[in-house]
Structures are given as structure tokens and as C-alpha cells.
Amino acid sequence: MIRISDLAAAAAWARPAASSTRSDSLQDPSSWFDHDPACADVRLSSDLPPGSRGLTVEQHAGRVLAFLCGDRDRDA
Amino acid sequence: MAALLSQPLWVDAAQALIDGCVDLPSDEDRVALMAAVCQGLGDELYPAFIRVLWTIGQYGDHSARAAVARALVHALRTGRLPSGRRSAWGGGELSSSPLAYGRTRTFGPIEYVCVWYAQTEPARALSASQFDTVARALLDLLSSSRDARLLYCEKLLADVDDPIGGAFARPTREAVRAMACAWAEGASPADASARFICTLAQAVRGGSGPLYPQAAVAAR
């Protein structure tokens, strides 16, 4: 079994060390993939809530995008 | 161009994508949903789509992951895998300049994170730990469907065997091939991810090619 410490050692050979000042800002998308302890208890399921039934492709896409980018119609 | 919220609601977005994949009546619609999300985000924010898939892979129950994986199977079968544009090796950073034509390639989510880790200048690259975290979650998500896993392995192997694609530097090609072969043979997502990292390190140590051709070009 390979441990994460082994991977880090292997990675040191692969390329120079990355910047030690990783910002959480949106300028640094890599920080999105750091462990998020707030999500530890999250469970996503396929149980469909009533408000999500019978929507079109555009409406479903709009819901996803609204959680990421906000409601563009409202902001306009 | 889309802009992310200062605090994107990743979990809600992931649940909304699952809801869409469960609610929509056809595979065509599900692929169209993922395409619409990626189009709405644009190339610069394609990592946000990967972050949503990562959230599903990490926190989704089996049926939730399977619903999304089923959509990805149809996307793979029809050549419409939701993809993001990045620089090909030797192409410099992503640019919207028309002169950048030919220097960028589109990558599906797994290939995208491989290139992000292996072929990006260090300050903007994924760390080994981040790569391992996201790669495992994506592989977990796809592993919830046998078809998705096998089809994606075939795609990865076809990509690395493409002699004129120009997307991967040689060490990256070797590492992607090792990961795909291990995953196809039944390795766990954790082991397949580790195979990528270790093979990449060995390929670089073996001097089989520059890992950061972009940086080499920029330094000239």
C-alpha cells in the first residue's frame, strides 16, 4: 500500500516544489481541492426533492450554475 | 464571462447536478446538462466543474455517483465528454489570443487534472496531495459504473497512443498509461492515482523528457 507521504516523496522528484503560499482565493483554483473539514458529514443522494422534478435541461443547468456563479438574472 | 461567487456552494451545486441526472428523461438530456454547465462556466472555470464532480465522487452515495457516471458513459460513447481547454505541452499558459490556436487542447476531467499536476508551472500546479485527492474522487465516481471505467480507460489509452495529438509530454504520457492500465486491471482509485504519481516521478528521473516544456519555452 502506498502512503501519501510516499507520494509526496515521489512527487519531489517529479517537479520543483510548488509555491508554499497557496491562497484560498479564486485566483488559485488548486486550493479548491484542499481537504474541506466542513464537508466531512456531507452525504449526497439521488433522492429527488419535489422542486427538482420535471425541469428542462436549461433549468437544471441554471440551478447548478446559480450555486456557483449566482443568479445572473437577479444580478443583472 | 462567468464569475464564481466568492464562496461557491459546491455541495449544493453537486446535488443540483445529481438531481438533473436523475430527473432528466434521457441520456442525451443528461449529456446536454453537463455541456450546458461547462459552457456556462467557460474554459477558465472548467476546474469548477471538476470540483463539482470531485464533490460527487467524494460525498455521493452509490446511486448518486452512478447517476452521474451513467451520463458520463453516454458522453464517452458519443464523443461528447465535458471537456476544458488547457495548453498543450510546449504551448504556454492558456490564452484567449487567436495566435494560441493549435497550442491548446481539450481535456476530459481526468486528463485535465493529470496535465494540471504534471505540465503546469509549479506556482499554478496541483500539489501531489491535491492531485491524489481529486484523481481518487474522479476515479471513484467513474468506478461506480463498470462501463464508465472501461470506456474511460480506453479513452485514456487512445489519447496517450495518439502520435500527433501533442497533448501530453512524454513523462505525462507514460504516467497516464500506467494509471489507465492499472485502473483497467482492477486497481483501486487510490492505487491508480499513486501509479500516476510514481510513474511520473520515475519518468522524470529517467530523463525521458522535460516535464515543464512551457516553462522551458518561456525561459528562452
Side-chain angles (χ1 to χ4, degrees):
Chain A
M1 176 153 177
I2 299 175
R3 294 167 300 180
I4 192 66
S5 56
D6 298 330
L7 298 181
W13 279 96
R15 57 181 173 78
S19 166
S20 59
T21 54
R22 286 191 176 277
S23 143
D24 285 340
S25 78
L26 298 177
Q27 301 301 315
D28 181 13
S30 61
S31 66
W32 301 344
F33 301 101
D34 289 328
H35 175 64
D36 183 357
C39 290
D41 296 330
V42 168
R43 274 291 164 265
L44 301 172
S45 81
S46 59
D47 299 335
L48 203 57
S52 302
R53 293 179 195 274
L55 304 183
T56 64
V57 168
E58 291 74 22
Q59 288 170 324
H60 276 297
R63 288 185 71 229
V64 177
L65 290 169
F67 288 124
L68 301 176
C69 304
D71 186 336
R72 281 170 290 181
D73 293 336
R74 187 191 62 201
D75 294 343
Chain B
M1 192 174 81
L4 280 191
L5 296 169
S6 58
Q7 305 251 330
L9 301 172
W10 301 114
V11 171
D12 296 296
Q15 185 63 65
L17 185 62
I18 294 166
D19 292 347
C21 288
V22 172
D23 180 54
L24 289 168
S26 71
D27 287 335
E28 282 292 304
D29 284 345
R30 295 179 195 109
V31 173
L33 166 61
M34 291 194 288
V37 171
C38 289
Q39 186 175 12
L41 291 169
D43 282 324
E44 292 285 345
L45 292 181
Y46 181 73
F49 179 71
I50 296 177
R51 177 62 164 84
V52 171
L53 295 181
W54 174 77
T55 303
I56 296 168
Q58 186 130 12
Y59 302 112
D61 64 19
H62 180 77
S63 62
R65 282 184 283 155
V68 177
R70 187 177 60 207
L72 291 169
V73 166
H74 191 68
L76 282 160
R77 284 195 171 128
T78 56
R80 291 179 293 159
L81 187 65
S83 301
R85 202 157 50 97
R86 277 193 84 84
S87 301
W89 73 279
E93 289 302 309
L94 180 62
S95 167
S96 58
S97 163
L99 297 177
Y101 176 78
R103 298 203 308 250
T104 60
R105 299 288 185 275
T106 57
F107 297 95
I110 292 178
E111 311 88 281
Y112 193 98
V113 296
C114 290
V115 170
W116 193 357
Y117 170 59
Q119 293 179 203
T120 306
E121 61 179 88
R124 301 165 71 103
L126 291 175
S127 67
S129 173
Q130 289 166 334
F131 171 82
D132 185 58
T133 299
V134 66
R136 276 194 293 166
L138 292 175
L139 295 171
D140 257 332
L141 169 62
L142 289 153
S143 294
S144 62
S145 159
R146 183 175 180 275
D147 284 350
R149 181 170 63 85
L150 294 178
L151 281 168
Y152 214 117
C153 286
E154 283 180 21
K155 180 199 183 302
L156 291 173
L157 291 171
D159 286 351
V160 298
D161 289 334
D162 177 2
I164 56 173
F168 300 126
R170 188 182 301 174
T172 315
R173 277 206 309 271
E174 292 179 21
V176 170
R177 181 181 288 112
M179 177 179 70
C181 288
W183 193 32
E185 291 165 3
S188 69
D191 285 344
S193 166
R195 194 71 64 91
F196 179 91
I197 293 172
C198 293
T199 304
L200 184 71
Q202 288 166 1
V204 172
R205 261 184 298 192
S208 61
L211 194 57
Y212 290 108
Q214 299 102 316
V217 169
R220 282 178 192 161

